[in-house]
Amino acid sequence: MSKARIAHNPDLSFLMVHPEHSYDHPYLLDSGGRFDWDANTYLVEYGGGRLCYGAKPQPSDIVKEARSLAIFLTFIEDVLKINKLNLCDDHLFTYVKHIKKRNVDNGTIKTHCRTAIDYIFYLQAKNKHVNLITDKANEQENYQIHVTKKFYSGGGKVTPYFDHKSFEHLVKVKEDIDYIRDDEFIDWLDAINHTTEHPSPDKLLKLRWQAISYLLDATGSRISELAKITRSSIKDIYNPFADGNDTSELKCIPINKGKNKGKFRKIHMSNGTIQLLMEYIKTIEREWPNMEHDNLFVNVDDGQPLKPSYIKNYTLSVIKNSIYGNSLKNVNNHSFRHRFITLNVAQKIKELSPSSPFPNLYSLAMHAVRKLTLHASASSMETYVHLAQEYNNKYRLKNEHAQVNSIVKTELKKLKRLQKQLESGQINESFALERMVSIIKEI
């Protein structure tokens, strides 16, 4: 005969991790040390259900979800001290403030909040008699928590997610989305002159460094893509009589990642940059007139093509071993890609602002730049809009040199910075004059 038994203190030791287990099996206890059945059943469902638990999502993701949920449950028990079925919109606002105290970035705050929302939806499904949470606009008055359902497209599928007013204002700005600023770009260019990688760099080394730097800046390419840009593609658009402040269209820029992998994109590049690239090309072709390849970046010893990995490690080594190693420690090749997108979004916002309704302005700017980069999703572009706003706010009234090519702009910024350094007493007059003459020669 079967019997139903109730265990007041059940033995749950079978859930503990054993050495032979390949990954952790997380479970949650409440503040009294009791097994939290709601939270743990949610984790099983999140992990794929009891038949395929840990297959997808990955075990490591289940552990992260458990830790995030534990933070939310602790907040309910220790801070709010309420029943979880009594949660409301105001409590989520309080939760955002609570997580901020952990000194985490905005993206992490959003992740924790969405875990909380997913769990609340689970509670709603288990407690249909309570109007706990809804994403339906016509049910706003009857429910305690109101969220907006959105969708993310990526990896060949559409994934739903939820936003709440408490964290909609939080822009996810990752550390690796920090673009290289104008002053940092000037230091990056100058690093070749002050690095132990090349104690006495010759003209070819300097030209190659400038070509790499300005092409990264002009195209926003990954290093793996930059290495595939050919000399002939530069020669095709070179016009020795072209106005250096005008632009020409560079086509056939390879795309190595994302849904457009294997395709090409095109950008408009200043003729001033093209002329610098041609000076570099003419120099290496005079040195090695019988090169049997069309690569743009070559070894300065034998003229052979440089591998992407070499270019990446080389640029990092030049910077690391230069006098700017500390100030540029957070800058790398990919920072130019973020710079390219940020400045293009900023430019589009400025172009569209006089004629576009405010609500549509940022979406139009994002759409225009996505066509240019052929890679960024709408969600990732939100970050660049934030950085573009920051850039435009800082330089809103500085429209001078709008038609000056990028190389001349950079040299003029060098002169402006030199003036500030002299006025502030950071450098003396003789050094300032020496640097000024050097900069003017490069314009």
Side-chain angles (χ1 to χ4, degrees), residues 152-181:
Y152 166 75
S153 298
K157 63 178 182 179
V158 177
T159 305
Y161 66 95
F162 295 100
D163 268 352
H164 186 264
K165 289 182 179 179
S166 62
F167 61 83
E168 281 183 342
H169 67 287
L170 300 174
V171 178
K172 184 178 179 180
V173 183
K174 292 183 179 178
E175 190 172 311
D176 62 356
I177 300 294
D178 194 17
Y179 66 93
I180 181 169
R181 270 62 175 177

Side-chain angles (χ1 to χ4, degrees), residues 101-129:
K101 294 177 183 178
R102 301 173 66 89
N103 295 319
V104 296
D105 60 46
N106 290 343
T108 303
I109 294 174
K110 282 189 171 185
T111 298
H112 284 309
C113 288
R114 288 187 175 126
T115 293
I117 289 171
D118 288 344
Y119 178 62
I120 295 170
F121 267 110
Y122 168 80
L123 293 176
Q124 175 69 89
K126 295 293 183 181
N127 300 273
K128 299 186 184 297
H129 62 285

